[in-house]
Amino acid sequence: MTLQPGLVSVTFRHLAPTQVVALARTAGLGGIEWGGDVHVPHGNDEAARRVADLTATAGLATVGYGSYYRLGHSAAEGLAPETVVRTAELLGAPVVRVWAGRRPSSEADAHYRAGVVDDARRIADLAGAVGLTIAFEYHRNTLTDTRESATWLLETLAGLPVRTLWQPEPERDRAENLADLHAVLPYLANLHVFAWTPERRRLPLRCHYSDWAAYVAVARTAPGQRYALLEFVADDDPSLLAAEAATLRHVLAGA
């Protein structure tokens, strides 16, 4: 598998899309996952088209649309899945990030899980109809907070255009995180790359270099092309991106 370096735009929520693109290009990154909260708001067709053109003109790929659609919740709260998929399509994003609910898997009963699954089927059908894929955020306080729950959800939705992103859980050690990654490897979309302490203090990526070398080595065993996307830097400081990108490129070259 080929892994290319990229950026999650919400790393710099305080910057305009033009600034995010300039930073990514200068840092030698190849693509951007655009966030749906600030840079490409859900339902803003004009912003989606503008950012798509901006990204392509800079020679970068639109890797994904980082929506904040919560399965089992967002539709009832006024964010329609049709809106999310349309924005992603106009943006030219092949992958649409969604969140697997709003409860830890340990607190999700059968009724809650069924609601998440039904909503996932609905948005996956909409996405598939226009050639897009849905990818879960692999995250605490959702149904993808453990490898067991994540694989259950993915297997339940087998046959639909549904995959998952992956990121390490800071409170788990390398062996546990590797086991998590192995479990979802057949469904892997892209990686979210960061270095945090268990207390969620942000560190330079070099501090977790050996961990990420191990994660990338496993991710590379899955067929196809994916992106390793930098997400978050200390103090949201744009001046740190170049060094973080250099570290990521070194990891990808050596793994």
Side-chain angles (χ1 to χ4, degrees):
M1 181 189 79
T2 302
L3 270 172
Q4 300 294 327
L7 176 68
V8 181
S9 80
V10 298
T11 302
F12 302 115
R13 280 190 173 96
H14 60 294
L15 299 182
T18 53
Q19 295 171 295
V20 174
V21 165
L23 279 169
R25 187 176 183 183
T26 300
L29 301 174
I32 300 174
E33 178 194 292
W34 287 104
D37 56 348
V38 174
H39 295 130
V40 186
H42 311 114
N44 190 327
D45 292 1
E46 180 184 354
R49 292 189 179 98
R50 183 176 64 251
V51 171
D53 182 65
L54 179 69
T55 309
T57 299
L60 302 175
T62 295
V63 173
Y65 181 47
S67 89
Y68 287 86
Y69 189 86
R70 293 273 183 170
L71 297 168
H73 295 272
S74 289
E77 294 167 354
L79 177 58
E82 291 86 353
T83 299
V84 172
V85 171
R86 174 175 169 79
T87 305
E89 184 183 13
L90 292 175
L91 180 63
V95 174
V96 188
R97 183 187 72 190
V98 299
W99 296 64
R102 199 178 277 154
R103 293 184 191 175
S105 60
S106 60
E107 299 177 11
D109 60 18
H111 177 74
Y112 186 83
R113 287 175 177 268
V116 170
V117 167
D118 287 347
D119 206 12
R121 291 186 189 280
R122 180 183 176 192
I123 195 168
D125 284 341
L126 291 168
V130 292
L132 307 184
T133 297
I134 296 299
F136 301 124
E137 178 84 340
Y138 195 91
H139 208 276
R140 67 191 185 283
N141 298 324
T142 72
L143 296 191
T144 53
D145 58 358
T146 68
R147 71 190 75 129
E148 294 83 6
S149 184
T151 53
W152 168 83
L153 183 58
L154 289 159
E155 289 169 1
T156 299
L157 297 164
L160 293 171
V162 174
R163 302 177 73 78
T164 188
L165 302 164
W166 184 82
Q167 62 192 38
E169 166 53 55
E171 295 178 357
R172 296 172 190 159
D173 62 22
R174 185 193 301 179
E176 291 176 303
N177 281 313
L178 281 170
D180 290 346
L181 177 55
H182 274 289
V184 301
L185 198 61
Y187 311 97
L188 184 64
N190 300 314
L191 303 174
H192 283 174
V193 179
F194 55 80
W196 287 4
T197 69
E199 298 76 29
R200 303 187 184 275
R201 180 169 62 87
R202 298 175 186 181
L203 303 172
L205 187 59
R206 66 177 183 275
C207 295
H208 287 183
Y209 187 98
S210 59
D211 288 345
W212 274 105
Y215 302 149
V216 164
V218 170
R220 275 233 168 97
T221 65
Q225 179 174 322
R226 293 169 180 81
Y227 281 81
L229 302 162
L230 288 167
E231 185 178 33
F232 304 121
V233 296
D235 300 319
D236 301 323
D237 185 352
S239 71
L240 301 179
L241 182 62
E244 295 293 88
T247 300
L248 176 58
R249 289 197 304 272
H250 199 267
V251 170
L252 296 178

